[in-house]
Structure formats: C-alpha cells, structure tokens
Amino acid sequence: MTPGGHDALDGERPGVLAAEAEGYLLAHAHHEQIRREAAELRARLPWLTTAQAEELTGHYVRLRLDVTRRLLLSTVRRAEELREEYENRYAALRRVLLRRHAAAACAVLACGAGVSSLAAGVLTR
C-alpha cells in the first residue's frame, strides 16, 4: 500500500496521481453542475423562504449525488463483468489456438517423417 491508499508500483505512481486528480476534478465539476441546477430550480420557485430554498437545494444535491453514485457503481460492476467475460473468452481462444498450432506442428512433423522415410527408401534402392 502506498501512502495514498492505493497499490501501485513506483513506475505507476504518476499515472495513479493523474487519475486521482482527474477523478477529483470531474467530481468537483459534477458537483458544481448539480448546484447550478439546484439554483435554477430555486429561481423557478420565488415564493420559497430562504430556509426552504436552502433545504430544497440540499435535498436536490443529495438526490442527484445518490443517483450519480448508483449509476457509477452499476457501471463499474458491469465493466467488471465484461472484463471477466472477455478474459474468459480470451483464455478459451488462446487454448483453441494452442491446440490448433500443436495439431499443425504434429501434422508438419508427421509429413516430414513420411517424406524422410520415403526419401530414405528411394535412396536405399
């Protein structure tokens, strides 16, 4: 574990920091967008008191962040499922390819042995 709480090799650390910084900036931009949406909603409801407007803003921000969190978690789960499916398929394809190459190599060796024995038979006559 590194001080940032992530498992990373020394050569990977700059990439991890860049990904963390990008994630932070994206989250911050998303949070600001949600706050702007909440402000637009408040502007459409001018009869709200200041306390009601603040409560509405807080509620809206919490709901939107919860929705975003659920969407991201489901996307991550699906990505993991797809990765597992692709890795399994890749491993199966590698096994098939290995078997085919082994069969082809055996066929080439068998043909070579047959040609060799024929050539030896012709030369010994």
Side-chain angles (χ1 to χ4, degrees):
M1 278 296 226
T2 59
H6 298 282
D7 291 326
L9 300 174
D10 290 334
E12 295 177 354
R13 190 66 183 149
V16 170
L17 287 174
E20 285 180 4
E22 180 183 17
Y24 172 79
L25 291 173
L26 287 171
H28 184 70
H30 184 70
H31 195 266
E32 288 302 313
Q33 175 63 31
I34 292 171
R35 284 207 154 303
R36 281 192 297 275
E37 291 172 8
E40 291 172 9
L41 178 61
R42 268 195 336 248
R44 290 186 206 153
L45 306 170
W47 60 85
L48 294 177
T49 65
T50 304
Q52 289 171 330
E54 289 302 317
E55 184 179 345
L56 176 69
T57 299
H59 184 67
Y60 182 83
V61 168
R62 280 190 304 279
L63 285 176
R64 281 293 312 275
L65 289 175
D66 287 344
V67 167
T68 300
R69 187 174 293 114
R70 284 194 308 268
L71 287 172
L72 288 173
L73 289 174
S74 68
T75 301
V76 166
R77 275 193 299 273
R78 182 63 182 144
E80 289 169 353
E81 291 170 2
L82 287 174
R83 178 183 302 191
E84 185 176 339
E85 288 176 27
Y86 288 137
E87 286 175 352
N88 291 339
R89 181 68 179 145
Y90 180 72
L93 289 173
R94 284 186 65 186
R95 285 190 298 274
V96 168
L97 187 61
L98 179 62
R99 281 194 300 266
R100 287 181 183 174
H101 276 79
C106 289
V108 167
L109 287 174
C111 288
V115 168
S116 176
S117 66
L118 283 176
V122 169
L123 290 176
T124 56
R125 288 189 196 174

